[in-house]
Amino acid sequence: DGAAPLDEATWRALRHRPESVRTWTRDAGFALLVDDQLGLVVRPTARGHGLGATLLDEALAAYGDGPLSAWSHGDHPAAARLAATRGFTRIRSLWVLRRRATMPLPDLVVPDGLTIRGYTPADASEVLRVNAAAFAHHPEQGAMDAADLAERMAEPWFDPAGLLLGYDGDRLVAFHWTKQHSAELGEVYVVGVDPAAQGRGLGRVLTLAGLHHLTGLGVDEVLLYVESDNQPALAVYSGLGFTHADADTHVMYRRGG
């Protein structure tokens, strides 16, 4: 399909906490549950024969009647049909935006009083504080705690120099966590701004600092994920040359709750 079948959070659960993942498998597909999130994967050549419905029904029977979410990576029409028949409602759309690194970047102008530098272990508590405040209403990112932060930093892609921190004096006011997937591909992984420091253009400044960092690493393309209804963020990213294609859409469905 051109879309990864599982998201990062699911991969991390499989690698670091496999005992927390419930699975149902067939030769051509599988379903899995991580907390209240469902993953369902069927090999493209095996679709259209009811395997997805069978796996979904087995998982639903085991899970019970509680609230349950499921992602469709790539907004596949078959996933929409299957979701509708099992009582799932579309509740979120996540867009993937992309930018070619060959596009010129604006110069980075750092405001007076702001210092931008890479991460050190002493910054962990400040990163968690700003992240919790910035993403208080975000269902995934806002839940990051010390254990989750350490888990992400244990990933092979983590580079302290790529976690750019914006300090005003001794207080962290914004950060941009970049990710390099490969020699060719980078990502605007997380951009967070302390709500108490909003209105100063720090999101754009830190985003631009991260883009300069990734471009300096030699990547060909930079991507990012953003909620489709986050108009302020979309305005910043489109102003920096990011674009969205219809195929680059991920949809969350939810049943109950």
Side-chain angles (χ1 to χ4, degrees):
D1 298 323
L6 299 176
D7 59 24
E8 182 205 42
T10 302
W11 278 117
R12 284 195 286 110
L14 287 166
R15 281 196 292 267
H16 300 286
R17 291 167 280 109
E19 72 285 352
S20 70
V21 183
R22 303 169 67 184
T23 60
W24 295 262
T25 61
R26 297 289 191 279
D27 289 341
F30 61 87
L32 52 79
L33 275 169
V34 182
D35 300 322
D36 65 344
Q37 292 213 9
L38 171 72
L40 178 63
V41 179
V42 176
R43 186 182 300 135
T45 55
R47 293 175 185 163
H49 303 287
L51 177 57
T54 298
L55 287 166
L56 177 58
D57 288 340
E58 290 182 4
L60 292 177
Y63 182 78
D65 297 326
L68 183 65
S69 299
W71 281 104
S72 172
H73 299 294
D75 194 12
H76 200 285
R81 291 192 294 269
L82 186 58
T85 63
R86 299 305 190 275
F88 285 82
T89 302
R90 180 178 181 134
I91 62 168
R92 289 172 64 193
S93 292
L94 192 67
W95 283 2
V96 183
L97 308 186
R98 300 178 185 270
R99 183 189 192 279
R100 299 298 300 176
T102 52
M103 295 178 62
L105 278 171
D107 292 337
L108 176 62
V109 179
V110 179
D112 291 342
L114 186 72
T115 301
I116 299 177
R117 61 168 175 80
Y119 173 85
T120 70
D123 298 307
S125 60
E126 278 291 277
V127 170
L128 289 171
R129 178 187 64 79
V130 172
N131 183 83
F135 298 100
H137 303 294
H138 193 284
E140 290 95 22
Q141 186 64 29
M144 186 173 72
D145 56 15
D148 186 59
L149 179 66
E151 190 175 278
R152 298 189 198 201
M153 290 182 172
E155 292 293 300
W157 55 262
F158 175 64
D159 176 8
L163 175 45
L164 300 172
L165 308 179
Y167 270 91
D168 186 346
D170 60 357
R171 187 172 179 83
L172 182 67
V173 290
F175 68 88
H176 179 181
W177 196 342
T178 67
K179 178 191 290 191
Q180 187 176 10
H181 292 265
S182 66
E184 298 78 24
L185 182 64
E187 179 181 344
V188 176
Y189 184 46
V190 186
V191 177
V193 178
D194 188 334
Q198 286 179 350
R200 297 165 54 184
L202 296 177
R204 186 182 187 280
V205 171
L206 268 294
T207 299
L208 186 55
L211 291 177
H212 278 282
H213 171 78
L214 290 169
T215 301
L217 296 176
V219 301
D220 298 326
E221 183 181 55
V222 179
L223 62 79
L224 60 85
Y225 295 82
V226 62
E227 300 287 341
S228 63
D229 59 356
N230 188 342
Q231 294 303 320
L234 288 169
V236 170
Y237 296 139
S238 62
L240 291 171
F242 283 91
T243 59
H244 170 249
D246 288 341
D248 279 339
T249 298
H250 302 284
V251 175
M252 175 177 274
Y253 296 92
R254 190 155 183 86
R255 188 191 73 164

